[in-house]
Amino acid sequence: MIIIISNKQDKNSSILVTLLLTKRIEFQWITPDYVQSVYSDYTGYACIKLVDESVIDNVNNFFINRIPNLKADHPLIIFLYMIPYHNILTHPNVASILLSKLDQLKFFTSYPKTEILKNVKKTFTGNVCVKSISQVRSFVRQSDDIELVRSGLNYMPVQFQEVKYGLHIKSHVIGADVYSYCIQANTLDPRESDYKVYPYSTPNFVKKSLLKIASKICVNYFDCDMIITKENMFILEINSSPAPMVFAEESKDHTVVTRFIDFILKREYKVGI
Amino acid sequence: MILILCDGDINSTSFMKYLDERSISYTLITPLKIINEIAIVDNLTSDGSVCIWQYQDLKINFNDVTGLYNSLHYIDIKYFSDFVVEDRAYVQNEWWAYLVYRINDFQNSINPITREVMSGVLYQYPFVYTTAYNNGFKIPKYYISHSIEEIRVLANQLQRYITKNTIYFDNNFKESNSINNDTIGLIEYIDGNVIFVHVVDNKIWTTIYRDGGTYPYKISESQETKCFELIQRLKLRVAELVFKQDANDLVLHYISAFPNWLKSDASYIPHIYKTLAAKLINK
């Protein structure tokens, strides 16, 4: 059975639930507070008992995990760790590979010039943005947001990245397929304003590049933000917990949805770590 | 130049004493120094990185660093007590995300911050035992349950056990004789001598704890091979493996990416430090 694990507010999960109901595909949606206890033993078997006394095990189900941060000692997180990698989108251990936005740059062949500064005064020429380094409180701002820069620069490393102008593309890698969307927004970080999403036909060089990243990180399901200019593509970051349902709905293009369902039902998810 | 990143732990201190006695130069960086004193200019392009850390008169250009000995596995939140409560975890994560990149970007880091260290699973016995079992090691039986009634039944089945209140190792492998309301984990208690295995790349030192003393020991070649394979699988360069020696076999109890070298037989320690120093001097 498909088990969706998320908070009730997660938009991607609620769209997916509607879809699975329409297609009459068996599933269960659980939130952290439904979990009463966990059991696990040395054979690799683990299960959770829910508040209604029903039991879900880690071997005979496929899990879609959309819980970003959970306290390490919550029974659910213990259980998530006990699920075999190929049985869960996204295993917490897989998510941790991409914890640092700087550490993930090593997987890309082309990215904007990036500089980390702390306790140093510098005037940049050209347009530069400030980005968080970790995935916690992820943000991108213009570097002329002086207060933000000042507040951090003396006691924490601050990431500055050259702003590239071009099309902002978000691509979803699902197995060997890539589905892309063009994001139009008035702010550097689309999440900070109203933005529009259009389906975008993935150029071959982009697809090739993303599949190369997939083989480097040994995961065939993730999304990637990039800027495509006339001459080049610059990868900004990748994310191990995509929300393809949200992009399908916002762009009114549902091709990705069919592929995603197929991907889960045929158990095509591969993790090589 | 050798760079040592540590928070004043006893192992790093002992290793630095060895380096001092042999006049091998190194630079010590503590979290306090990084957070409060060091200026950072770290440039990344698709062609590589150039990183300079500067504090007082000392300029550390990472291109001149030959080896980085790292015993930091996170940055304690205590260093961020000047921040308002709601910002502390964020600042801590920004620092850690930077250091993970910096340590891993450097080619000769001992140890790099592997994904299992990043996620914390390397400190959790279910993960360690599953990985060790898949690598052919014998492991103790263990159970995790949030039901105290179930824990009592399982404890009765095991008869001899170690209780745990979390799924993390806490270096306590003493036999327990009671269950309390916080117990969520049970690990089978196995009688026998404790064996410490210390690994530095392709070298291995084995110590047995017997009759109140430590002695150099030799495990079989096939056991050594399995140790190397497990360490490689976890992408570690140095590690500590702790075994219990039962009647027929070795039972793996614990793996650490931050070895306590002082648990090794005293005769081994200079050899371990010599090997580490050589690895850090030669880029």
Side-chain angles (χ1 to χ4, degrees):
Chain A
M1 201 201 308
I2 294 171
I3 311 287
I4 301 165
I5 303 174
S6 79
N7 295 316
K8 275 282 180 233
Q9 302 87 334
D10 181 51
K11 198 174 167 191
N12 194 68
S13 300
S14 53
I15 300 170
L16 181 61
V17 162
T18 314
L19 198 86
L20 294 172
L21 282 170
T22 318
K23 291 187 177 285
R24 294 170 186 250
I25 296 169
E26 203 185 359
F27 74 96
Q28 194 166 352
W29 186 6
I30 58 172
T31 57
D33 52 321
Y34 281 8
V35 179
Q36 194 180 57
S37 67
V38 61
Y39 170 85
S40 170
D41 65 31
Y42 59 95
T43 62
Y45 173 83
C47 66
I48 38 174
K49 195 186 263 182
L50 305 180
V51 285
D52 63 2
E53 299 283 306
S54 62
V55 170
I56 293 172
D57 73 58
N58 64 338
V59 191
N60 298 306
N61 297 295
F62 186 85
F63 297 84
I64 299 170
N65 170 33
R66 297 274 311 157
I67 301 273
N69 295 309
L70 206 57
K71 271 186 77 183
D73 55 353
H74 190 285
L76 188 54
I77 196 93
I78 297 171
F79 178 69
L80 292 177
Y81 277 120
M82 297 304 296
I83 301 172
Y85 286 153
H86 56 274
N87 274 5
I88 173 173
L89 289 179
T90 303
H91 194 286
N93 208 6
V94 172
S96 73
I97 306 167
L98 306 173
L99 166 109
S100 169
K101 292 180 187 179
L102 294 172
D103 196 46
Q104 56 171 254
L105 293 177
K106 67 186 175 213
F107 301 123
F108 315 153
T109 46
S110 181
Y111 53 85
K113 197 176 166 217
T114 302
E115 189 162 43
I116 319 307
L117 298 177
K118 189 213 150 218
N119 258 352
V120 174
K121 280 184 184 154
K122 180 170 176 174
T123 310
F124 287 97
T125 51
N127 215 345
V128 173
C129 67
V130 182
K131 271 175 83 169
S132 58
I133 304 174
S134 70
Q135 304 280 359
V136 180
R137 247 194 241 178
S138 187
F139 68 83
V140 184
R141 304 261 169 81
Q142 286 286 350
S143 69
D144 53 9
D145 192 342
I146 297 298
E147 283 313 308
L148 177 83
V149 176
R150 271 198 196 135
S151 66
L153 209 47
N154 287 338
Y155 24 79
M156 61 191 262
V158 176
Q159 177 182 194
F160 295 88
Q161 195 168 63
E162 182 187 10
V163 176
K164 291 286 180 188
Y165 295 97
L167 294 175
H168 183 169
I169 304 298
K170 187 183 268 292
S171 294
H172 292 84
V173 174
I174 302 179
D177 298 314
V178 180
Y179 297 85
S180 301
Y181 301 91
C182 182
I183 301 173
Q184 280 188 350
N186 295 324
T187 47
L188 271 179
D189 188 339
R191 292 167 297 191
E192 291 190 346
S193 66
D194 286 337
Y195 61 90
K196 288 180 179 161
V197 177
Y198 303 99
Y200 178 77
S201 166
T202 314
N204 249 343
F205 72 97
V206 171
K207 184 175 176 183
K208 228 169 143 181
S209 212
L210 293 177
L211 295 180
K212 211 178 253 180
I213 292 172
S215 78
K216 281 185 194 168
I217 62 171
C218 304
V219 176
N220 66 351
Y221 177 71
F222 61 92
D223 75 26
C224 175
D225 283 290
M226 71 193 88
I227 300 293
I228 298 186
T229 65
K230 273 183 187 164
E231 303 84 24
N232 213 337
M233 67 177 280
F234 296 91
I235 295 183
L236 304 177
E237 60 187 77
I238 50 179
N239 164 29
S240 61
S241 188
M245 301 301 128
V246 175
F247 278 81
E249 183 160 287
E250 287 177 355
S251 68
K252 298 184 175 52
D253 170 31
H254 288 83
T255 45
V256 68
V257 170
T258 318
R259 179 68 187 104
F260 179 74
I261 301 286
D262 211 36
F263 181 70
I264 298 168
L265 293 178
K266 289 184 178 161
R267 300 282 181 100
E268 289 178 48
Y269 182 49
K270 300 272 183 299
V271 184
I273 55 173
Chain B
M1 180 204 287
I2 295 176
L3 201 60
I4 296 183
L5 287 182
C6 78
D7 204 356
D9 61 283
I10 188 166
N11 288 297
S12 306
T13 309
S14 163
F15 177 48
M16 286 187 283
K17 191 169 168 244
Y18 171 90
L19 297 176
D20 287 334
E21 285 165 359
R22 280 148 191 85
S23 305
I24 300 170
S25 70
Y26 63 89
T27 302
L28 165 67
I29 306 283
T30 60
L32 204 61
K33 216 181 255 182
I34 306 177
I35 294 163
N36 293 335
E37 294 180 52
I38 287 184
I40 298 172
V41 179
D42 202 333
N43 272 292
L44 295 88
T45 65
S46 310
D47 301 324
S49 70
V50 178
C51 173
I52 291 169
W53 286 3
Q54 179 148 13
Y55 84 103
Q56 294 165 1
D57 295 331
L58 183 71
K59 193 174 184 176
I60 302 165
N61 182 334
F62 272 74
N63 286 332
D64 301 331
V65 175
T66 52
L68 191 161
Y69 182 81
N70 168 48
S71 72
L72 293 181
H73 51 101
Y74 73 111
I75 298 225
D76 201 300
I77 201 138
K78 72 181 180 197
Y79 294 114
F80 307 107
S81 53
D82 287 348
F83 287 81
V84 290
V85 176
E86 57 268 30
D87 283 347
R88 284 177 197 162
Y90 162 67
V91 180
Q92 181 191 31
N93 274 289
E94 287 290 292
W95 265 110
W96 188 233
Y98 171 66
L99 286 172
V100 163
Y101 145 73
R102 181 43 37 226
I103 293 165
N104 288 351
D105 183 65
F106 187 71
Q107 294 301 309
N108 192 20
S109 286
I110 298 177
N111 273 321
I113 305 291
T114 63
R115 49 189 70 176
E116 287 80 11
V117 171
M118 270 191 245
S119 68
V121 287
L122 196 59
Y123 316 118
Q124 299 173 1
Y125 49 86
F127 170 81
V128 168
Y129 290 157
T130 308
T131 310
Y133 180 77
N134 291 338
N135 239 66
F137 285 107
K138 196 172 169 186
I139 55 164
K141 288 180 182 167
Y142 71 87
Y143 299 99
I144 294 163
S145 173
H146 279 72
S147 153
I148 191 70
E149 293 78 24
E150 199 165 39
I151 282 284
R152 287 188 203 286
V153 172
L154 294 166
N156 263 337
Q157 276 175 24
L158 281 177
Q159 294 190 348
R160 301 188 72 181
Y161 52 84
I162 302 158
T163 56
K164 296 284 170 195
N165 297 343
T166 71
I167 58 164
Y168 291 89
F169 283 117
D170 55 7
N171 280 334
N172 177 13
F173 291 98
K174 284 190 183 140
E175 186 175 8
S176 313
N177 50 23
S178 64
I179 305 286
N180 62 45
N181 287 338
D182 296 330
T183 305
I184 65 154
L186 295 172
I187 299 176
E188 178 186 16
Y189 180 82
I190 292 164
D191 243 344
N193 297 317
V194 175
I195 289 177
F196 276 80
V197 172
H198 289 99
V199 178
V200 178
D201 284 336
N202 56 354
K203 294 208 170 188
I204 195 162
W205 294 269
T206 307
T207 301
I208 190 162
Y209 280 62
R210 198 168 45 204
D211 310 324
T214 64
Y215 303 90
Y217 191 70
K218 178 95 179 118
I219 54 174
S220 71
E221 228 169 83
S222 70
Q223 291 280 13
E224 282 192 0
T225 307
K226 276 197 279 186
C227 290
F228 286 128
E229 283 170 356
L230 181 59
I231 299 312
Q232 272 169 16
R233 187 175 179 156
L234 294 168
K235 298 192 168 57
L236 297 170
R237 295 189 59 191
V238 297
E240 175 179 285
L241 292 89
V242 183
F243 294 92
K244 270 291 188 79
Q245 186 188 41
D246 76 359
N248 312 307
D249 209 347
L250 295 180
V251 184
L252 190 133
H253 260 70
Y254 178 62
I255 301 172
S256 173
F258 301 93
N260 184 349
W261 306 117
L262 302 174
K263 289 283 184 185
S264 214
D265 184 72
S267 65
Y268 284 154
I269 295 173
H271 298 286
I272 295 175
Y273 289 167
K274 189 180 173 187
T275 308
L276 277 173
K279 303 253 173 212
L280 294 166
I281 289 168
N282 300 309
K283 203 171 188 174

